[in-house]
Amino acid sequence: METKQNFAAYWRMNLTYVVILLSIWFLVSYVCGILLADALSHIYFGGFRLGFWFANQGSEVVFVILIFVYVKLMNNLDKRFDVEEK
Amino acid sequence: MGILAWTWIIVGLSFSLYISIAIWAKAKTTGDFYVAERRVPPVLNGMATGADWMSAASFISMAGLISFMGRDGAMYLMGWTGGYVLLAMLLAPYLRKYGKFTVPMFVGERYYSNAARVVAVLCAIFVSFTYVAGQMRGVGIVFSRFLEVSINTGVIIGMAIVFFYAVLGGMKGITYTQVAQYCVLIVAYMLPAIFISIMLTGNPIPQLGFGSSLSEGGQQLLGTTGGYLLDKLDLLQQDLGFKAYTGAGAKSTIDVFMITFALMVGTAGLPHIIIRFFTTPTIRGARASAGWALFFIALLYTTAPAVASFARFNLLLSVNNKAYEQAPQWIKNWSKTGLIAWKDKNGDGKIQYAPGNAFAGKIAFAKTPDGQMEIGPYGEQVVSTPQTPIETSRNELYVDQDIMVLANPEIARLPNWVVALVAAGGLAAALSTAAGLLLVIAAALSHDLIKSILAPSTSEKMELVYARIGAGLAVLVAGYFGIHPPGFVAQVVAFAFGLAASSFFPLIIMGIFWKRATKEGAIAGMICGILFTAIYIIYFKFINPELNNAAHWLWGISPEGIGTIGMLINFIVMFVVSKITKEPPQEVQRMVESLRYPRTI
């Protein structure tokens, strides 16, 4: 019984991570790169207008970071709940 | 040495490399053929996924599209990378845990139904063919310009090569060939971008270069004044009557939003990408591979917008208002392939470049009675397509979007070997993707149809034979579509995404995250989703192309973005139908439960 609860907690943590990380995913691409792109374009970032930069490069850089953060978090979680592959 | 000689050398060398790898990695078992015996380390799998993923559309067309679309073009950049986040978190680890060969197989078992499996097989084949057509066309374009053969001959050469290593090596051969192809294509893409970035801005990193100010050398080269490159580009565009390059483009916000979403979800649902995550040794490996894949992809995808703005900048400055006879050599080279065309509308002998289409419809050239190309007074090939009325556009120049990357080194007057390298890179990109897709088709036919449904007693040896025959047939069909293409390379590819988004993605997500999803729900959802999407696309693209504009679209969503709605329909139908049908058998629910934990329990 105890293991069963542990598994449920593991799954809940996994889903929490995913929800948080996907919110950031949505924020950088759809919000900054599309919906607010015009508003952000008044801000300069070097020679880039910020909205344009998010749409062209910023989101992709954040995407890569998000996946590696997820990998790290999940590997730790696997260990903590002792469900890693043997 | 000329471009042609260099191209033969570099393309020849890269092809012998791929073929040697294919022979070395010849598949001996079905495990080899479908999933490379699950021995591919994450970093290599990431590279192979990158090559598998980055197609003719990414390599050849994407920068061109962005170049012509300005900020709207970012939907391709975000759309074609954002899906990997979904893949890494929602699909890859669970499918790797499932641990079989194909996506239809997962669908068949999860939804305890051969009917679901057959529908999934048909979707996989449909999506793969839509996609592979664009690849073969890309191969044809590269060959025709650089090896000076017709586009159709180019397609046939490409078919022969892919046939060889996909049929022989299966997944194992494809994987290691793709690693080599990734290396070729990334060097080929980055190198000219680095050179051009240094020439224009003095910054060797193209990703930063296009946000820098023009160097003195760059100003001299282009005959312009200093300032941030992007600001100059905005001004230049507006002077010629275009919209600002970095501002909102021609598309509505909702359309950009929907297309980006369809591309992301489509990426995550493309069978040839999903299948790559079956090849890693562990679940940890599957998660990490998605990260590496996106890392390798992002190298190219963050360079693409730089290439796009350099190309645009060059095009506007070096072409507009120049006498055709003094136009740069690349204009004339590319005119020979019919991908650039000019007609002197106002009779001044100069090229006028302005917004709008120069010609009404597909470009065609006039021929003399003895079958030669008719040559006009300035040495140009005479266009026989009717020009659009001068009141709607004074534009005289047609530039095919697909040539921007390939022509870029020539535009920047880089040495011939760089031009040849780019040709090799374009071929690597197209061939690696084509091979990955052919494998999906082969596996769908041999494993999901013949072995599992039609003739379960088939021996492994025979199954391997069927897989190879399937791959062979798929090459022939792909070649046919390459010779008779249904549209621009990138547009065709966009359809495959809409279809993947509206069929596979909801099916797999619900299969993993919702134990209660039933087979009736899955089949109904998939059929509604894909039918809606396909009918919408076919209606606007093939039946009533004259109605294909924002005024007639549903909520202003173009056929490219409609996959997002198709996906929602699929989700809703699947949810409702699952709720009112009998819950899935216990063993299926237990299987879904077990996917959630890496260890076997």
Side-chain angles (χ1 to χ4, degrees), chain A residues 14 44 47 56-57 83 85-86, chain B residues 94 211 231 261 283 302 305 599:
Chain A
N14 178 357
Y44 267 84
N56 273 272
Q57 291 185 318
V83 294
E85 290 156 285
K86 290 276 160 71
Chain B
Y94 309 107
D231 284 351
F261 207 90
I283 292 160
T302 49
R599 179 189 294 173

Side-chain angles (χ1 to χ4, degrees), chain B residues 487-523:
Chain B
F488 278 132
V489 170
Q491 261 179 350
V492 179
V493 169
F495 291 153
F497 284 87
L499 299 177
S502 61
S503 59
F504 278 131
F505 186 77
L507 198 69
I508 302 176
I509 290 287
M510 295 288 248
I512 294 167
F513 288 89
W514 195 40
K515 278 187 273 187
R516 186 67 178 76
T518 66
K519 72 171 175 188
E520 293 83 0
I523 295 171

Side-chain angles (χ1 to χ4, degrees), chain B residues 458-487:
Chain B
T458 307
S459 69
E460 179 169 321
K461 207 171 152 204
M462 273 316 286
E463 194 189 336
L464 207 54
V465 173
Y466 288 134
R468 289 192 161 124
I469 295 174
L473 287 178
V475 175
L476 295 179
V477 180
Y480 174 83
F481 283 127
I483 292 170
H484 305 278

Side-chain angles (χ1 to χ4, degrees), chain A residues 7 10-11 14 25 30 38 44 47-49 55-57 59-60 63 67 70 75 78 82-86, chain B residues 71 74 77-78 81-82 88 94 207 211 231 246 261 264 282-284 287 291 301-302 305 596-599:
Chain A
F7 281 145
Y10 168 85
W11 184 242
N14 178 357
W25 165 85
Y30 293 95
D38 280 329
Y44 267 84
F48 293 110
R49 291 168 185 274
N56 273 272
Q57 291 185 318
S59 334
E60 290 144 69
F63 293 159
I67 298 184
Y70 175 73
N75 288 348
D78 285 357
D82 192 30
V83 294
E84 54 192 333
E85 290 156 285
K86 290 276 160 71
Chain B
R71 196 182 76 199
L77 295 167
M78 293 192 290
T81 52
Y94 309 107
Q207 282 91 335
D231 284 351
T246 62
F261 207 90
M264 281 199 192
T282 61
I283 292 160
R284 286 170 71 112
R287 288 183 196 133
Y301 272 55
T302 49
R596 299 178 174 179
Y597 316 104
R599 179 189 294 173

Side-chain angles (χ1 to χ4, degrees), chain B residues 52-323:
Chain B
D52 203 348
W53 168 245
M54 287 188 287
S55 57
S58 292
F59 191 96
I60 300 173
S61 304
M62 190 175 65
L65 279 171
I66 301 171
S67 192
F68 285 85
M69 293 170 77
R71 196 182 76 199
D72 279 356
M75 63 195 187
Y76 294 109
L77 295 167
M78 293 192 290
W80 285 340
T81 52
Y84 279 85
V85 181
L86 299 174
L87 251 175
M89 297 180 193
L90 304 178
L91 299 177
Y94 309 107
L95 290 175
R96 176 61 191 80
K97 173 73 198 287
Y98 169 69
K100 302 274 175 64
F101 291 153
T102 67
V103 179
M105 196 164 170
F106 170 76
V107 171
E109 282 195 18
R110 166 61 185 86
Y111 293 107
Y112 46 100
S113 141
N114 268 348
R117 186 165 177 171
V118 171
V119 180
V121 168
L122 295 178
C123 288
I125 292 177
F126 189 43
V127 168
S128 303
F129 271 127
T130 320
Y131 203 94
V132 85
Q135 307 312 313
M136 296 319 280
R137 187 73 185 163
V139 173
I141 290 176
V142 178
F143 272 118
S144 79
R145 166 62 191 90
F146 293 101
L147 300 182
E148 299 185 0
V149 295
S150 76
I151 291 189
N152 292 353
T153 316
V155 171
I156 292 166
I157 302 178
M159 280 165 63
I161 303 277
V162 173
F163 186 86
F164 187 78
Y165 64 74
V167 171
L168 187 70
M171 189 54 136
K172 195 172 164 201
I174 287 174
T175 302
Y176 292 100
T177 320
Q178 281 172 339
V179 172
Q181 282 164 334
Y182 177 80
C183 299
V184 171
L185 79 87
I186 197 69
V187 171
Y189 204 84
M190 297 288 295
L191 206 63
I194 292 171
F195 280 147
I196 297 171
S197 186
I198 294 174
M199 278 162 61
L200 295 184
T201 65
N203 192 326
I205 302 168
Q207 282 91 335
L208 303 175
F210 78 121
S212 308
S213 47
L214 288 168
S215 66
E216 260 173 51
Q219 293 169 34
Q220 249 171 19
L221 198 74
L222 295 163
T224 181
T225 50
Y228 282 128
L229 186 143
L230 286 172
D231 284 351
K232 300 279 299 179
L233 183 53
D234 279 349
L235 280 178
L236 211 56
Q237 291 253 101
Q238 284 161 330
D239 284 349
L240 293 180
F242 294 94
K243 289 190 170 184
Y245 187 78
T246 62
K251 287 193 177 293
S252 66
T253 304
I254 177 160
D255 201 20
V256 173
F257 192 101
M258 289 294 170
I259 295 175
T260 309
F261 207 90
L263 293 179
M264 281 199 192
V265 175
T267 303
L270 279 178
H272 70 295
I273 299 304
I274 297 179
I275 208 171
R276 287 234 53 96
F277 294 96
F278 286 98
T279 64
T280 57
T282 61
I283 292 160
R284 286 170 71 112
R287 288 183 196 133
S289 303
W292 286 113
L294 188 59
F295 171 79
F296 290 120
I297 291 166
L299 274 184
L300 190 144
Y301 272 55
T302 49
T303 310
V307 171
S309 41
F310 295 150
R312 185 74 186 162
F313 202 60
N314 263 322
L315 178 73
L316 295 185
L317 276 174
S318 65
V319 165
N320 186 50
N321 235 3
K322 286 255 165 35

Side-chain angles (χ1 to χ4, degrees), chain A residues 1-82:
Chain A
M1 196 60 213
E2 198 191 321
T3 22
K4 197 142 200 181
Q5 271 169 357
N6 266 341
F7 281 145
Y10 168 85
W11 184 242
R12 263 201 311 278
M13 272 311 279
N14 178 357
L15 293 183
T16 315
Y17 289 156
V18 169
V19 168
I20 295 171
L21 294 173
L22 286 186
S23 309
I24 302 173
W25 165 85
F26 188 81
L27 188 77
V28 289
S29 50
Y30 293 95
V31 177
C32 296
I34 298 175
L35 299 176
L36 297 181
D38 280 329
L40 289 173
S41 276
H42 299 291
I43 307 167
Y44 267 84
F45 177 68
F48 293 110
R49 291 168 185 274
L50 199 56
F52 178 81
W53 181 77
F54 264 113
N56 273 272
Q57 291 185 318
S59 334
E60 290 144 69
V61 174
V62 176
F63 293 159
V64 176
I65 297 170
L66 285 178
I67 298 184
F68 281 109
V69 169
Y70 175 73
V71 170
K72 181 87 194 125
L73 287 173
M74 285 310 286
N75 288 348
N76 291 346
L77 195 67
D78 285 357
K79 255 196 210 100
R80 208 170 90 210
F81 283 87
D82 192 30

